[in-house]
Amino acid sequence: MFEENNEHHQEKLFSPVKDLPPRIDEKLQNHWSTHFYQHIFTQIDETKFGRLYHDGYSRPNKPVNELVSLEIIKHLLDLSDEELEYAYIFDFRVRNALGKETLGDNICEKTFTNFRRRLMEHEEETGQDLLHEVFEDHRSYFQDEFEIDASTQRMDSTFIEANIKQLSRVDLLAKVLHNFLCDLPKEIVQELPAGIDEFADTDNLELSYQLEPGEIPATMETLAEHTAWLVDRFEDDDEYAELESFAHLQQVLDEQCYRIAEFEDDEDVDDSDDQRQPGDDSSPDWQPLRTYTSPEEKTETDQSEENTELSGEDTDDRSDHVGLKEPDAIDSGSLQNPHDEEATYRYKNGEDYHGYKANVAETCNGENPFRLITAIRVDTNNTDDGDLLDEDIPELSAETGLRDLLVDGGYTHKEVEKRCRDQEITQHFSGITGQRPAEEKMSLAAPEWDGTRMVACPAGHEPFDQNHYETGRISGKMEKEFCDGCPHRENCFVKEQQQHYSYGFRERRVEIAQRRKRLDDPAEQEFLKLRAGAESLINEMYHKDGEKATFTGKIKVKNGSIAKAIGRNLKRASGFLESEAKREKSAG
């Protein structure tokens, strides 16, 4: 049952706080925990979380403003759940941040995990991100309370390593196979074809360390065949097909392997019944072709005999029914580890990344009392920076008053740039992807443009005919009398025709050329120096080159980043308030 927490408004008649000496009390008033209570805890709207709890008669919930605040404090102080539990019970800094003057309350780790689970399930069911709404309220409050100008902001992204072990392909196949076998009853596992049951043993989970390099391809083929056989065998069995481990088994088969179609019967086949193989009754499509057994356990003769018994024919006459995809054919969104099925793969600057990407923005106007983090967005690490920015454009424009956004070349995205212009946001790029045109060639930014219409060429002449097509292409025609004797003729982008000179190119090329021209402007170069601080923002939030996530699953990783962003804002505000208090004391 949901109840709001108003107990913190009631002052205690007796408490240790009231007995503090004046100098200690002054320190407490300027401590981050007091600032947390004043500017974070009291601003949390608990009513938004009421839908997470049962409406009927039941035990009252643990106060929501306490649980949300504890999530923020966890990342602010870098605590584990166990440390957070004891901090709630015994640490007066945490007690003070929650508006408590005495000890005596208890909490357990499971309370934290249950609250995170409720947040995740609610977001999955409704799409409503309650913790992000807390961040939005927090951002608006801080911007108003401290009179922060957010018209100029900078943005950057970083990778967050998933809290998973990086598995090779052979280990991934063995892992999902093992997980499904562990979910099957032992009597069923014992009845499976020879070789499959061996992967229920944990000794076969790190094959990449046990096998010689030359043994890995054949072992991967064997694992793929076992995986396909199990999928065919249990996909129509609702009791086991609904298991998460079976879904992972099927996903890996689809992503890592491909099916080889059966050969149709032809005139050379006398009797189709003669083509049946042992095991066709339980898996009519095909029979696994190999079994895996370590070299120490089986001689070559034993291997040959077992394969003959399993397939019912000579090994040279068999044909595979499943193959392994080439590495380049596997999508970056494929399953990396069943422990976190939402983590994806990204290769950048010679490094492999498995996990997520965080996109962060902050104010960078030098006249503000401190820098305020205004946006935090988390998605899979194969998401483009432009797509992450796209989600925040309307909000940053309407809620924070953003007008100038400093980003790097990774945020180049035609549709996103248009949306920024529609919201009256000017993007300032610190770099541009792609090669710079040759210096001897005239830039498309040299003419005077009004959108897609050329007002005047570099020599001051206007085309007599211009067109702008829905495909994004622009074209025009110039009088010969203007171009024949023009000093820019050799380097110009126009081409000579019989009756005139003409040009034609995509409007996107004009936009890029104009952007390069702005980059060469000394005033723009000076303004872009504000972008350099974006790297320190990433280091402050995630340390160098990202960090390993504490949680698994995109929603939990995202919520952790949101809590961290609120905590960083509080720390910055607390530093400002403390310095202001010292300045006032010194002046007094």
Side-chain angles (χ1 to χ4, degrees):
M1 182 177 67
F2 173 74
E3 284 187 2
E4 289 189 66
N5 174 30
N6 296 311
E7 183 180 349
H8 60 98
H9 294 301
Q10 181 64 46
E11 185 177 356
K12 300 290 184 181
L13 185 60
F14 301 101
S15 74
V17 176
K18 292 182 171 57
D19 297 329
L20 292 176
R23 292 185 63 183
I24 302 300
D25 182 64
E26 181 182 349
K27 288 185 176 181
L28 179 62
Q29 296 307 312
N30 291 320
H31 191 258
W32 70 261
S33 60
T34 301
H35 300 151
F36 189 103
Y37 172 76
Q38 294 171 342
H39 301 292
I40 300 291
F41 183 83
T42 58
Q43 303 304 316
I44 296 174
D45 184 0
E46 291 185 279
T47 59
K48 294 182 178 180
F49 295 82
R51 65 200 67 188
L52 299 182
Y53 300 92
H54 195 272
D55 293 333
Y57 179 77
S58 62
R59 183 178 180 180
N61 61 288
K62 193 71 175 177
V64 169
N65 50 11
E66 290 187 9
L67 292 175
V68 173
S69 295
L70 287 170
E71 283 295 301
I72 299 170
I73 292 172
K74 171 185 172 68
H75 295 280
L76 179 64
L77 303 181
D78 194 21
L79 303 176
S80 66
D81 280 356
E82 181 181 10
E83 292 169 333
L84 186 62
E85 174 189 352
Y86 285 99
Y88 176 84
I89 299 172
F90 302 117
D91 192 331
F92 187 74
R93 297 175 303 169
V94 175
R95 307 287 296 178
N96 186 52
L98 303 181
K100 295 179 178 294
E101 299 179 8
T102 59
L103 303 179
D105 297 324
N106 193 22
I107 201 170
C108 65
E109 289 184 48
K110 194 173 182 179
T111 304
F112 307 138
T113 57
N114 286 341
F115 183 64
R116 295 181 195 123
R117 176 180 53 79
R118 285 193 178 99
L119 287 175
M120 180 183 67
E121 291 176 349
H122 177 76
E123 185 171 346
E124 289 176 339
E125 292 173 3
T126 66
Q128 184 182 21
D129 190 345
L130 292 173
L131 204 59
H132 194 268
E133 291 183 12
V134 171
F135 174 79
E136 291 172 343
D137 294 341
H138 148 83
R139 178 188 59 202
S140 298
Y141 169 80
F142 266 49
Q143 194 172 348
D144 294 339
E145 180 72 13
F146 296 98
E147 299 180 351
I148 293 177
D149 178 7
S151 59
T152 303
Q153 300 179 31
R154 56 193 173 205
M155 179 176 285
D156 203 359
S157 65
T158 187
F159 294 130
I160 306 174
E161 280 295 289
N163 189 16
I164 57 176
K165 181 179 180 180
Q166 295 186 10
L167 299 177
S168 64
R169 290 182 71 183
V170 65
D171 289 334
L172 175 61
L173 287 164
K175 178 67 174 176
V176 296
L177 187 63
H178 168 80
N179 289 351
F180 181 64
L181 293 175
C182 289
D183 286 343
L184 292 177
K186 290 184 178 180
E187 56 271 19
I188 293 182
V189 174
Q190 293 172 356
E191 295 175 357
L192 296 175
I196 296 182
D197 59 329
E198 295 181 15
F199 289 94
D201 191 342
T202 56
D203 292 340
N204 287 327
L205 289 184
E206 295 186 349
L207 296 176
S208 58
Y209 296 101
Q210 301 173 17
L211 301 173
E212 295 294 331
E215 297 175 317
I216 291 179
T219 304
M220 289 178 62
E221 291 178 7
T222 301
L223 287 167
E225 292 161 6
H226 290 341
T227 300
W229 191 92
L230 289 171
V231 169
D232 291 343
R233 167 63 179 83
F234 292 99
E235 63 182 348
D236 295 327
D237 191 331
D238 293 341
E239 182 178 358
Y240 303 111
E242 294 179 358
L243 294 172
E244 183 182 44
S245 59
F246 181 82
H248 292 158
L249 196 73
Q250 197 165 32
Q251 181 179 354
V252 168
L253 179 65
D254 293 338
E255 294 171 345
Q256 301 279 342
C257 310
Y258 61 89
R259 297 277 191 163
I260 301 175
E262 293 282 359
F263 292 105
E264 296 183 359
D265 295 338
D266 54 30
E267 296 178 355
D268 296 334
V269 179
D270 296 331
D271 188 354
S272 60
D273 291 339
D274 292 339
Q275 305 303 312
R276 291 173 56 82
Q277 302 294 330
D280 280 350
D281 291 338
S282 58
S283 181
D285 292 332
W286 65 285
Q287 180 72 7
L289 304 174
R290 299 181 183 86
T291 58
Y292 169 76
T293 308
S294 62
E296 294 78 10
E297 296 176 350
K298 192 179 293 288
T299 64
E300 293 183 3
T301 302
D302 293 336
Q303 180 71 52
S304 177
E305 291 176 355
E306 183 179 43
N307 284 341
T308 302
E309 179 183 353
L310 178 62
S311 64
E313 62 181 9
D314 188 89
T315 56
D316 293 337
D317 296 332
R318 298 175 308 182
S319 59
D320 291 345
H321 294 72
V322 64
L324 290 164
K325 293 181 180 179
E326 292 296 325
D328 293 343
I330 300 173
D331 189 83
S332 63
S334 63
L335 184 69
Q336 303 298 305
N337 189 314
H339 185 58
D340 188 348
E341 59 186 22
E342 293 181 293
T344 56
Y345 172 79
R346 181 74 177 268
Y347 181 82
K348 184 177 181 180
N349 298 331
E351 296 289 337
D352 293 322
Y353 298 93
H354 300 76
Y356 303 92
K357 176 189 281 188
N359 194 57
V360 195
E362 69 173 0
T363 60
C364 54
N365 189 319
E367 298 179 357
N368 286 327
F370 58 88
R371 293 173 287 119
L372 177 69
I373 297 175
T374 56
I376 178 73
R377 189 73 60 176
V378 173
D379 212 323
T380 54
N381 66 8
N382 58 354
T383 306
D384 290 337
D385 290 344
D387 293 331
L388 291 172
L389 166 60
D390 191 29
E391 298 185 57
D392 285 317
I393 290 173
E395 181 183 311
L396 289 175
S397 174
E399 301 296 331
T400 70
L402 172 63
R403 290 296 170 263
D404 293 283
L405 180 63
L406 293 89
V407 292
D408 60 29
Y411 290 87
T412 303
H413 196 292
K414 183 178 180 181
E415 288 74 18
V416 177
E417 291 170 33
K418 180 181 183 303
R419 199 162 291 115
C420 282
R421 291 193 295 269
D422 293 342
Q423 296 288 336
E424 298 181 350
I425 297 174
T426 302
Q427 286 179 279
H428 301 266
F429 294 90
S430 60
I432 298 176
T433 56
Q435 293 184 343
R436 178 183 286 270
E439 294 184 2
E440 64 272 12
K441 292 293 183 181
M442 179 185 295
S443 169
L444 293 182
E448 181 182 352
W449 294 90
D450 181 10
T452 58
R453 176 178 169 271
M454 186 188 296
V455 178
C457 71
H461 305 297
E462 182 179 1
F464 69 84
D465 182 28
Q466 297 192 59
N467 293 288
H468 178 219
Y469 303 96
E470 293 183 359
T471 59
R473 182 175 177 80
I474 56 180
S475 64
K477 299 176 183 179
M478 304 289 296
E479 296 284 1
K480 275 210 165 190
E481 60 180 299
F482 297 142
C483 296
D484 282 339
C486 179
H488 305 291
R489 173 68 190 88
E490 294 298 325
N491 299 328
C492 190
F493 46 78
V494 297
K495 295 182 179 180
E496 185 176 6
Q497 308 296 335
Q498 289 185 352
Q499 304 295 329
H500 56 266
Y501 283 79
S502 67
Y503 62 84
F505 33 74
R506 298 279 181 181
E507 61 178 297
R508 182 66 174 166
R509 290 183 57 193
V510 178
E511 294 175 2
I512 298 298
Q514 291 173 333
R515 189 177 302 163
R516 290 189 186 279
K517 183 178 180 180
R518 287 197 302 269
L519 277 175
D520 295 333
D521 184 358
E524 181 72 3
Q525 293 175 358
E526 184 67 25
F527 184 66
L528 283 171
K529 289 181 180 180
L530 293 173
R531 173 66 176 67
E535 294 184 4
S536 65
L537 165 65
I538 294 300
N539 287 335
E540 185 180 357
M541 282 283 292
Y542 296 103
H543 309 298
K544 294 182 179 180
D545 300 324
E547 67 171 11
K548 201 162 190 176
T550 308
F551 308 108
T552 58
K554 186 173 72 174
I555 293 178
K556 289 184 179 179
V557 173
K558 168 187 63 66
N559 287 346
S561 292
I562 291 173
K564 183 178 295 186
I566 297 174
R568 300 314 299 178
N569 279 342
L570 182 278
K571 189 172 183 179
R572 295 172 176 182
S574 181
F576 166 73
L577 291 171
E578 187 176 354
S579 63
E580 283 293 289
K582 289 180 180 179
R583 184 181 62 80
E584 291 177 3
K585 183 178 179 180
S586 176

